[in-house]
């Protein structure tokens, strides 16, 4: 048990009272608030400080160590991902994929590094269709070799580091290797998933790995070692990203995904051929800000469309204690998901401009009423093709982190192995993704599976700028298709209601998509839930993975950052030593 000092208990009590006053429950731990107010911009470094927020304290410390050594935000991202692959393997890892949004303080440019996995060249469009002509069950698909896409995060990080790194690649993996050797203390959250009901919890590799010294399934407080991972990251550090895509590791990946029923068609050539994609950030104005997120196959256009609709309502003046604010938010969310599901995928004809067209957004916003209506249908944005029926079953198993370095450059990165522990198959101490199940199981529509294609993603790592394109903040979350709801809720809390980032993140999650309206019923007060239900928004308890929001805003020349209290993460600001001058 962790014993908090009296001062910390007083702070947490203050936040609890604040949230109750807002009409929400404070059942989860809160983080000490900083001075709230409008977010401002930074034309340069924030008083020589740097910031990291991630889903595990060891990952945060790995990132901070890189920044202390003079590394860039991208350098820190490499170290953070290497550590998360070890200590939070249920969520992300070197066998998965990611989207990185990078802000450059000098050029004010926003660049997206797309490290999303790709389908093998030999994949069949009906790979997840059974003999009866119907989609197979998710449990069967997720545990199969065909669930794994060609991993992308390592080569993506390698490319970003080549362009923006300051430290040598070989110096970014020391913390991960040492921790894998000596072991780390298992958290209650990791224990919950190891002992959970997800299909992967009973997969042979998962069962074999998560054993304590007594041969039993690990429990919180046990120390877990991973010598295979330590050896791999040392080889990766010495040999560069290509260690992942050729040689002995590539052979082992191919062999592992070709085992069992519904085996993959992946080859070593698929691994060697993988390339990350560099894209321009997708940006759209919001109030006095500019929000930038990844373009398709990410769902950044959906997040930007949702916020543009919110801007055309009075949610900001109502505040978080007003049930109408949540009703209107739910209706805006349902409209966004209807469009996102119908149009977004890894195809060249996604009507991105049309979905953000001001006239189209305004027309969709007129459908937001003071009562919930039937599930909305997709609209017809300018340039859109016929709307498709979506059959994607996107589950949660993802992580997010934010870094701001001493020069004011920022990274917002969402990273995933797709479902919990990916496919449940392990190679060289890391889990392989099950990203192919992020495609629609029906071989039609924008998210249909095809060779070389990247599955649609709900990951929306976001940076926030002022109208002069100076950095204001960054945010993102895991959570499957609920990510769009998690991130938009926190943005509304922080930018519309001027809540400290910790309180904006701690607000109840509400995910409204089609006929489904679910959320954290224990975090809303009974009075607020009743008032929402009277207007047609009946919130039912959500299922799946919690949010894992990590975000930061610049307020009054200081970082106002926070980690989601629903996970194991922390947010830390450090003051960097001034650069040494030559004597």
């Amino acid at each position: 048990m962790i014993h908090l000092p009296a001062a910390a208990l007083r702070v947490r009590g203050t936040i609890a009272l604040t949230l109750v006053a807002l009409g929400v429950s404070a059942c989860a731990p809160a983080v000490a608030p900083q001075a709230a107010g409008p977010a401002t911009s930074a034309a340069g470094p924030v008083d020589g400080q740097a910031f990291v927020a991630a889903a595990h304290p060891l990952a945060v410390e790995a990132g901070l160590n890189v920044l202390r050594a003079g590394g860039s935000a991208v350098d820190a991202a490499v170290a953070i991902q290497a550590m998360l692959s070890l200590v939070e393997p249920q969520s992300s890892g070197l066998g998965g994929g990611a989207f990185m949004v990078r802000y450059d303080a000098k050029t004010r440019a926003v660049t997206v590094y797309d490290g999303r996995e790709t389908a093998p060249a030999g994949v069949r469009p009906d790979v997840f269709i059974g003999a009866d002509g119907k989609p197979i069950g998710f449990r069967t698909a997720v545990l199969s070799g065909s669930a794994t896409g060609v991993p992308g995060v390592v080569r993506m990080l390698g490319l970003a580091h080549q362009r923006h790194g300051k430290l040598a690649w070989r110096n970014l993996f020391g913390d991960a290797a040492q921790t894998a050797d000596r072991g780390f203390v298992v958290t209650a959250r990791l224990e919950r998933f190891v002992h959970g009901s997800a299909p992967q919890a009973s997969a042979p590799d998962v069962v074999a790995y998560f054993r304590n010294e007594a041969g039993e399934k690990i429990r919180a407080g046990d120390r877990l070692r991973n010598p295979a991972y330590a050896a791999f990251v040392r080889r990766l550090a010495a040999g560069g990203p290509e260690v992942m895509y050729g040689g002995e590791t590539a052979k082992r990946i191919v062999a592992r995904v070709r085992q069992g029923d519904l085996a993959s068609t992946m080859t070593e050539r698929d691994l060697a051929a993988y390339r990350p994609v560099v894209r321009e950030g997708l940006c759209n104005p919001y109030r006095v800000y500019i929000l930038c997120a990844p373009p398709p196959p990410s769902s950044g256009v959906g997040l930007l469309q949702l916020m543009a609709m919110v801007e055309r309502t009075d949610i900001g003046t109502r505040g978080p204690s007003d049930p109408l604010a949540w009703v209107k938010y739910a209706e805006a969310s349902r409209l966004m998901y209807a469009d996102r599901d119908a149009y977004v995928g890894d195809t060249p004809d996604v009507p991105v401009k049309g979905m953000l067209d001001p006239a189209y957004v305004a027309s969709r916003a007129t459908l937001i009423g003071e009562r919930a209506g039937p599930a909305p249908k997709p609209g017809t944005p300018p340039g859109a093709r016929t709307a498709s029926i979506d059959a994607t079953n996107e589950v949660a198993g993802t992580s997010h982190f934010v870094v701001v370095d001493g020069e004011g450059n920022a990274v917002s990165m969402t990273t995933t192995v797709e479902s919990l522990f990916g496919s449940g198959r392990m190679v060289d101490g890391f889990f392989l993704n099950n990203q192919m199940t992020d495609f629609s199981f029906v071989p039609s529509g924008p998210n249909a599976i095809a060779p070389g294609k990247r599955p649609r993603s709900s990951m929306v790592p976001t940076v926030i700028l002022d109208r002069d394109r100076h950095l204001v903040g960054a945010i993102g979350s895991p959570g499957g298709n609920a990510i769009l709801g998690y991130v938009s809720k926190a943005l509304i809390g922080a930018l519309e209601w001027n809540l400290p980032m910790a309180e904006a993140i701690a607000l109840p999650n509400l995910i409204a998509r089609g006929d489904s309206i679910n959320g954290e019923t224990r975090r809303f007060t009974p009075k607020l839930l009743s008032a929402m239900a009277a207007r047609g928004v009946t919130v039912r308890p959500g299922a799946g993975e919690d949010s894992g929001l990590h975000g930061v805003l610049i307020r009054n020349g200081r970082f106002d950052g926070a980690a989601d209290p629903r996970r194991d993460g922390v947010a830390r600001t450090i003051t960097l030593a001034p650069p040494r001058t030559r004597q």
Side-chain angles (χ1 to χ4, degrees), residues 117-289:
E117 300 91 333
T118 57
V123 74
R124 304 183 315 275
D126 60 349
V127 61
F128 296 128
I129 299 295
D132 59 358
K134 298 179 181 179
I136 64 176
F138 181 78
R139 184 183 185 93
T140 301
V142 75
L143 295 175
S144 72
S146 287
T148 298
V150 181
V153 67
V154 171
R155 195 165 262 169
M156 179 274 281
L157 286 171
L159 177 61
H161 174 264
Q162 179 183 339
R163 295 185 173 194
H164 310 293
K166 294 177 65 179
L167 302 182
W169 174 268
R170 64 179 178 275
N171 295 330
L172 304 178
F173 298 89
D175 283 347
Q178 292 173 17
T179 303
D181 270 336
R182 67 172 178 257
F184 64 95
V185 177
V186 174
T187 65
R189 186 168 185 275
L190 178 53
E191 178 197 302
R192 174 159 61 95
F193 292 122
V194 170
H195 291 262
S197 59
Q200 298 92 320
S202 59
D205 290 0
V206 174
V207 173
Y209 174 52
F210 292 111
R211 293 288 185 185
N212 60 23
E213 293 180 355
E216 302 168 337
K217 270 193 172 184
I218 59 166
R219 292 288 183 182
D222 289 341
R223 183 169 291 274
L224 184 64
R225 295 177 175 84
N226 192 336
Y229 187 72
F232 171 71
V233 294
R234 288 191 173 107
R235 286 197 297 111
L236 184 64
E242 298 314 302
V243 166
M244 182 79 178
Y245 297 91
E248 55 190 277
T249 294
K251 285 182 171 64
R252 282 194 281 269
I253 291 173
V254 170
R256 191 68 187 92
V257 300
R258 284 177 169 265
Q259 294 172 349
D261 296 333
L262 199 58
S264 176
T265 61
M266 190 185 300
T267 65
E268 291 178 54
R269 181 175 295 181
D270 287 317
L271 286 159
Y274 180 86
R275 294 293 183 272
V277 179
V278 180
R279 307 180 190 273
E280 185 178 351
L282 180 62
C283 300
N284 204 51
Y286 175 76
R287 304 292 189 201
V288 297
Y289 308 107

Side-chain angles (χ1 to χ4, degrees), residues 11 21 72 91-92 108 156 167 186 191 251 279 297 377 416 462 475 481 483 492 530 535 560 574:
V11 167
S72 67
S91 297
S92 76
R108 306 182 206 176
M156 179 274 281
L167 302 182
V186 174
E191 178 197 302
K251 285 182 171 64
R279 307 180 190 273
K377 295 181 179 179
T416 185
T462 302
I475 195 168
N481 60 50
I483 289 174
I492 291 168
S530 177
R535 295 183 178 274
D560 171 20
I574 59 169

